[in-house]
């Protein structure tokens, strides 16, 4: 639980800084493109991870 809390806190500290830096340096289109790519990668990872956790008879 402690590691989970630390990772969420770290994400809340780093993501605004990183997002603002990317937006000012490369523009908002690049920021949304990077965000979309990360979203797709995470969605694919969740799909395969939850597929392995489901019982075989469902």
């Amino acid at each position: 639980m402690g590691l989970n809390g630390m990772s969420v806190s770290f994400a809340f500290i780093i993501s605004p800084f990183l997002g603002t830096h990317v937006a000012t340096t490369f523009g908002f289109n690049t920021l949304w493109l990077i965000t979309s790519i990360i979203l797709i990668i995470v969605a694919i990872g969740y799909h395969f991870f939850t597929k392995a956790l489901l019982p075989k008879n469902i």
Side-chain angles (χ1 to χ4, degrees), residues 13-28 31-32 35:
I13 293 169
I14 296 299
S15 60
F17 172 73
L18 189 61
T20 305
H21 179 69
V22 170
T24 57
T25 305
F26 302 109
F28 282 101
L31 175 65
W32 286 113
T35 304

Side-chain angles (χ1 to χ4, degrees), residues 23-50:
T24 57
T25 305
F26 302 109
F28 282 101
N29 288 334
T30 305
L31 175 65
W32 286 113
L33 180 66
I34 292 171
T35 304
S36 300
I37 291 170
I38 292 171
L39 173 71
I40 291 169
I41 291 170
V42 169
I44 291 170
Y46 271 122
H47 173 73
F48 288 114
F49 181 70
T50 56

